[in-house]
Amino acid sequence: MNVDKSIVPIYIRTEIPKRIVQIGTAVFVDFQNMPFLFTAAHVTDDMENGALLVPTSEGLLEIDGYTAFIDLPPEISRADDTVDMAYIRLSSEFSCKLCYHFFPLPQEMSQILASSEELNIVSVVGYPASKSKKKADGYKSELYYFR
């Protein structure tokens, strides 16, 4: 399986200012036979400012699902959060639309670690928001790898 097909850019649509911009990346995962997007909590925090969107068979659509994240006490800012983790449990209908461009990473291809210190080599893949562009025919983003 091509793991790249499980990496999904996330956009936000805001009213003030009225615009759509890319703000992050998620991993599309089949976890216990349910579709999820795993992302950073600072991405889902932006839901206070607008609607989160992803590319689907119908273009950019608002994510349909239940969102959960690691909440913080008021005295700690997200910038100081060492966990910064969130997930969105997608509706089945919405995940089918997402499968037009992306494929969920099977659970057997993922592993939860207690600490990243267990790893010898770390690779990061995603759609950097700084590389996203609005084109006449839609939005374009490039996948980047860092090791």
Side-chain angles (χ1 to χ4, degrees):
M1 173 182 187
N2 184 352
V3 176
D4 295 356
K5 291 293 188 178
S6 300
I7 308 300
V8 180
I10 297 180
Y11 297 81
I12 190 168
R13 179 181 55 228
T14 58
E15 292 303 316
I16 301 173
K18 192 168 186 69
R19 65 182 182 168
I20 295 175
V21 294
Q22 185 184 335
I23 62 165
T25 301
V27 180
F28 187 21
V29 177
D30 177 17
F31 185 72
Q32 297 183 353
N33 294 318
M34 295 178 283
F36 284 86
L37 288 176
F38 289 102
T39 190
H42 70 265
V43 171
T44 59
D45 287 348
D46 275 344
M47 291 170 59
E48 295 176 4
N49 303 317
L52 297 184
L53 314 170
V54 292
T56 70
S57 58
E58 299 174 13
L60 287 177
L61 288 182
E62 184 172 352
I63 298 171
D64 180 23
Y66 171 81
T67 303
F69 54 90
I70 306 295
D71 204 4
L72 298 171
E75 67 272 10
I76 298 178
S77 73
R78 187 62 76 190
D80 296 325
D81 181 12
T82 58
V83 178
D84 195 21
M85 181 184 207
Y87 68 80
I88 305 167
R89 164 65 168 91
L90 303 173
S91 72
S92 296
E93 181 182 337
F94 186 81
S95 69
C96 289
K97 293 176 184 177
L98 191 59
C99 284
Y100 183 78
H101 296 291
F102 308 99
F103 301 100
L105 185 67
Q107 185 171 342
E108 59 270 11
M109 290 188 67
S110 62
Q111 179 181 3
I112 297 175
L113 301 173
S115 170
S116 61
E117 293 175 356
E118 298 175 29
L119 303 172
N120 293 327
I121 297 175
V122 176
S123 296
V124 178
V125 61
Y127 290 95
S130 63
K131 303 295 182 186
S132 177
K133 295 180 178 46
K134 184 173 183 344
K135 303 275 187 168
D137 62 342
Y139 295 87
K140 302 289 181 192
S141 194
E142 295 180 50
L143 197 59
Y144 280 77
Y145 300 86
F146 304 94
R147 176 173 273 196

